[in-house]
Amino acid sequence: MRVLVCGARGQVGYELMRLAPQWAEPVGLGSAELDITDPAAVMAVVRELRPDLIINASAYTAVDRAESESAAAYAVNRDGIGHLAAEAQRLGIPLFHISTDYVFSGDASEPYREDQPTAPTGVYGASKLAGEQVLAATCMQHLILRTSWVFGSHGANFVKTMLRLGREREELAVVADQCGCPTSARSIAQALWHLAAVCRQEGRLEWGVYHFAGQPAVSWYEFAVEIFHQALACGLLERMPAVKPITSREYPTPAKRPLWSVLDCSKGEARYGLEPAVWQEELRVMLAALPS
Ligand SMILES: NC(=O)c1ccc[n+]([C@@H]2O[C@H](COP(=O)([O-])OP(=O)(O)OC[C@H]3O[C@@H](n4cnc5c(N)ncnc54)[C@H](OP(=O)(O)O)[C@@H]3O)[C@@H](O)[C@H]2O)c1
């Protein structure tokens, strides 16, 4: 089964390539080899490779920068996925895609199910939602995995930022009124390969949107405190910095973030056994893979 992995140098793309099962023949391309905003390039690569499945791990992910670079965000997150979707549909192959908790407003108090109304609060979330809609309208065999708060040993993420700040500063302030589910890139890649295996075996999946995120839900502040505890325990930090909980209002950012970003993952769990990974354990695995 030849699998084209787009965005192979990102956090999730890297894990997809690293964890590819034996039966898969993965071809991983970064933006330098395939710019998904270029329809002619997408057409040429897909027609030459003739994959059996496309997994798109590429995206414009700079949430704050997207507020001032809306065209660039939409070019990748809506139009790019549209080009991939058109080719997948033409070949009659499935396209797996990753989306985000930021498609929701964050006004809820219960975990979001897949069928709940979307209302993104910023350009990034809106561009990702537009991508979901283009994909669903263009490619029949589509699977959209919405996830949140991604971390991993490869690439930039909150864990690495905290480790750097923890080394540089004696004390730092972290937002405590946004609640969400940290999710390892590794567990997302495992979930996608599991779905690919089911698809390979059964010839199809129940197409549509699935939520997949780590458990349990926490605030960024609680996430940071656990990062520091674990980093201290495994020798990545020499001393515990003082961590002060603050509100989103005290830490203004160009993009407004949802206060409640908790995804209900029961649909994927019931249908395909996609069990949410415990993020504290995933964090341990990630920290163990980092150079000290
Ligand atoms: N990060 C999070 O916290 C988070 C949360 C929820 C959902 N997600 C979603 O999860 C998915 C994976 O995220 P991630 O954290 O792995 O992202 P990431 O580390 O930022 O990687 C994204 C990759 O996309 C590639 N890319 C950007 N523009 C491209 C283009 N025009 N053509 C081809 N490739 C392009 C980049 O490739 P090069 O490096 O080769 O330039 C980059 O490696 C995305 O769909 C994202 O929206 C992420």
Side-chain angles (χ1 to χ4, degrees):
M1 189 179 193
R2 184 171 296 173
V3 183
L4 169 59
V5 177
C6 301
R9 285 196 246 296
Q11 297 195 79
V12 175
Y14 170 84
E15 294 292 339
L16 279 165
M17 296 307 293
R18 194 175 70 81
L19 299 171
Q22 290 231 310
W23 50 260
E25 202 188 305
V27 179
L29 303 179
S31 64
E33 296 90 36
L34 176 60
D35 176 353
I36 66 163
T37 66
D38 178 347
V42 170
M43 195 185 286
V45 165
V46 173
R47 290 181 189 195
E48 193 195 322
L49 282 175
R50 300 199 69 76
D52 303 295
L53 165 69
I54 301 175
I55 305 181
N56 179 39
S58 70
Y60 180 106
T61 54
V63 176
D64 286 320
R65 199 152 20 101
E67 295 299 312
S68 53
E69 286 185 1
S70 157
Y74 275 93
V76 182
N77 293 346
R78 178 193 58 198
D79 304 340
I81 184 65
H83 304 322
L84 291 172
E87 283 307 302
Q89 178 65 14
R90 199 191 58 80
L91 282 184
I93 60 166
L95 173 46
F96 292 3
H97 180 58
I98 308 165
S99 192
T100 171
D101 53 324
Y102 283 15
V103 298
F104 293 113
S105 68
D107 294 339
S109 52
E110 293 291 317
Y112 282 107
R113 289 189 323 273
E114 288 81 350
D115 57 0
Q116 281 182 261
T118 49
T121 58
V123 171
Y124 166 74
S127 69
K128 292 292 292 183
L129 179 61
E132 289 188 6
Q133 290 162 345
V134 167
L135 172 54
T138 311
C139 175
M140 201 267 290
Q141 300 181 67
H142 66 274
L143 185 129
I144 297 164
L145 201 73
R146 286 193 194 130
T147 190
S148 61
W149 296 23
V150 178
F151 66 92
S153 56
H154 180 89
N157 53 60
F158 181 77
V159 177
K160 292 207 185 157
T161 303
M162 286 302 114
L163 289 177
R164 179 174 52 77
L165 293 178
R167 286 183 189 124
E168 288 171 4
R169 299 186 192 172
E170 305 247 307
E171 63 173 72
L172 58 152
V174 183
V175 169
D177 60 356
Q178 291 172 26
C179 189
C181 300
T183 311
S184 71
R186 180 179 96 123
S187 68
I188 299 168
Q190 284 168 334
L192 288 168
W193 283 124
H194 174 70
L195 291 166
V198 175
C199 188
R200 174 174 175 256
Q201 205 161 17
E202 297 181 4
R204 67 179 304 279
L205 290 172
E206 288 190 40
W207 307 113
V209 181
Y210 292 84
H211 288 172
F212 181 78
Q215 296 296 326
V218 281
S219 68
W220 290 113
Y221 166 78
E222 292 167 306
F223 189 17
V225 170
E226 177 67 15
I227 293 164
F228 293 133
H229 278 302
Q230 288 201 19
L232 207 59
C234 68
L236 284 170
L237 266 188
E238 283 173 5
R239 44 150 190 85
M240 183 81 183
V243 194
K244 183 182 157 210
I246 56 166
T247 63
S248 304
R249 235 183 238 170
E250 291 173 273
Y251 187 73
T253 51
K256 186 173 173 249
R257 263 96 173 150
L259 291 180
W260 178 258
S261 256
V262 183
L263 299 175
D264 179 330
C265 303
S266 54
K267 177 181 163 188
E269 200 173 355
R271 287 199 192 156
Y272 295 115
L274 295 181
E275 213 178 302
V278 175
W279 64 261
Q280 291 94 332
E281 288 167 16
E282 293 296 302
L283 178 63
R284 220 159 272 133
V285 174
M286 174 197 164
L287 296 184
L290 291 181
S292 47

